[in-house]
Short mmCIF file of all heavy atoms in Angstrom, two decimals:
data_model
loop_
_atom_site.label_atom_id
_atom_site.label_comp_id
_atom_site.label_asym_id
_atom_site.label_seq_id
_atom_site.Cartn_x
_atom_site.Cartn_y
_atom_site.Cartn_z
N ARG A 26 -13.36 -9.79 58.60
CA ARG A 26 -14.74 -10.23 58.53
C ARG A 26 -15.13 -10.79 59.93
O ARG A 26 -14.52 -11.74 60.39
CB ARG A 26 -14.83 -11.26 57.43
CG ARG A 26 -14.52 -10.63 56.06
CD ARG A 26 -14.41 -11.68 54.95
NE ARG A 26 -15.53 -12.50 54.78
CZ ARG A 26 -16.69 -12.20 54.13
NH1 ARG A 26 -16.79 -11.02 53.54
NH2 ARG A 26 -17.65 -13.05 54.03
N VAL A 27 -16.18 -10.18 60.48
CA VAL A 27 -16.61 -10.56 61.79
C VAL A 27 -18.13 -10.74 61.77
O VAL A 27 -18.83 -10.24 60.88
CB VAL A 27 -16.21 -9.54 62.91
CG1 VAL A 27 -14.72 -9.44 63.01
CG2 VAL A 27 -16.79 -8.17 62.58
N ASP A 28 -18.66 -11.38 62.84
CA ASP A 28 -20.12 -11.57 63.02
C ASP A 28 -20.76 -10.16 63.16
O ASP A 28 -20.39 -9.41 64.07
CB ASP A 28 -20.36 -12.40 64.28
CG ASP A 28 -21.80 -12.60 64.55
OD1 ASP A 28 -22.47 -11.65 64.95
OD2 ASP A 28 -22.30 -13.73 64.35
N ALA A 29 -21.68 -9.88 62.23
CA ALA A 29 -22.27 -8.52 62.19
C ALA A 29 -23.11 -8.18 63.45
O ALA A 29 -23.05 -7.08 63.95
CB ALA A 29 -23.16 -8.33 60.93
N VAL A 30 -23.87 -9.13 63.95
CA VAL A 30 -24.74 -8.90 65.09
C VAL A 30 -23.91 -8.61 66.31
O VAL A 30 -24.08 -7.60 67.01
CB VAL A 30 -25.64 -10.08 65.33
CG1 VAL A 30 -26.48 -9.91 66.64
CG2 VAL A 30 -26.60 -10.28 64.16
N LYS A 31 -22.89 -9.44 66.59
CA LYS A 31 -22.02 -9.14 67.76
C LYS A 31 -21.26 -7.88 67.60
O LYS A 31 -21.08 -7.10 68.58
CB LYS A 31 -21.04 -10.34 67.95
CG LYS A 31 -21.58 -11.53 68.63
CD LYS A 31 -20.53 -12.51 68.97
CE LYS A 31 -21.03 -13.62 69.80
NZ LYS A 31 -19.93 -14.48 70.22
N PHE A 32 -20.76 -7.62 66.40
CA PHE A 32 -20.00 -6.43 66.16
C PHE A 32 -20.79 -5.18 66.43
O PHE A 32 -20.38 -4.20 67.07
CB PHE A 32 -19.35 -6.40 64.79
CG PHE A 32 -18.33 -5.41 64.60
CD1 PHE A 32 -17.06 -5.45 65.19
CD2 PHE A 32 -18.56 -4.19 63.85
CE1 PHE A 32 -16.10 -4.53 65.03
CE2 PHE A 32 -17.61 -3.25 63.72
CZ PHE A 32 -16.38 -3.38 64.32
N CYS A 33 -22.03 -5.15 65.90
CA CYS A 33 -22.89 -3.94 66.12
C CYS A 33 -23.22 -3.79 67.55
O CYS A 33 -23.28 -2.65 68.07
CB CYS A 33 -24.20 -4.12 65.29
SG CYS A 33 -23.89 -3.94 63.55
N LYS A 34 -23.43 -4.85 68.34
CA LYS A 34 -23.64 -4.80 69.78
C LYS A 34 -22.41 -4.24 70.50
O LYS A 34 -22.52 -3.41 71.44
CB LYS A 34 -24.06 -6.10 70.35
CG LYS A 34 -25.49 -6.59 70.00
CD LYS A 34 -25.80 -7.89 70.61
CE LYS A 34 -27.21 -8.33 70.18
NZ LYS A 34 -27.57 -9.61 70.79
N ALA A 35 -21.25 -4.72 70.09
CA ALA A 35 -20.01 -4.20 70.68
C ALA A 35 -19.81 -2.74 70.45
O ALA A 35 -19.40 -1.98 71.31
CB ALA A 35 -18.84 -5.03 70.17
N CYS A 36 -20.08 -2.29 69.15
CA CYS A 36 -19.90 -0.91 68.81
C CYS A 36 -20.89 -0.03 69.63
O CYS A 36 -20.48 1.02 70.19
CB CYS A 36 -20.15 -0.71 67.35
SG CYS A 36 -18.78 -1.25 66.30
N ALA A 37 -22.15 -0.44 69.69
CA ALA A 37 -23.18 0.28 70.45
C ALA A 37 -22.76 0.39 71.90
O ALA A 37 -22.93 1.44 72.57
CB ALA A 37 -24.55 -0.36 70.22
N GLY A 38 -22.34 -0.72 72.48
CA GLY A 38 -21.95 -0.75 73.88
C GLY A 38 -20.76 0.20 74.14
O GLY A 38 -20.79 0.99 75.11
N LEU A 39 -19.79 0.16 73.29
CA LEU A 39 -18.67 1.03 73.44
C LEU A 39 -19.01 2.47 73.32
O LEU A 39 -18.64 3.31 74.18
CB LEU A 39 -17.56 0.65 72.44
CG LEU A 39 -16.31 1.54 72.48
CD1 LEU A 39 -15.61 1.47 73.80
CD2 LEU A 39 -15.37 1.08 71.37
N LEU A 40 -19.78 2.84 72.30
CA LEU A 40 -20.16 4.21 72.12
C LEU A 40 -21.06 4.71 73.29
O LEU A 40 -21.02 5.92 73.66
CB LEU A 40 -20.98 4.39 70.79
CG LEU A 40 -20.07 4.28 69.55
CD1 LEU A 40 -20.96 4.25 68.28
CD2 LEU A 40 -19.07 5.41 69.46
#
Side-chain angles (χ1 to χ4, degrees):
R26 297 171 55 83
V27 296
D28 179 287
V30 174
K31 280 189 172 186
F32 191 73
C33 288
K34 287 180 181 181
C36 287
L39 178 58
L40 288 172

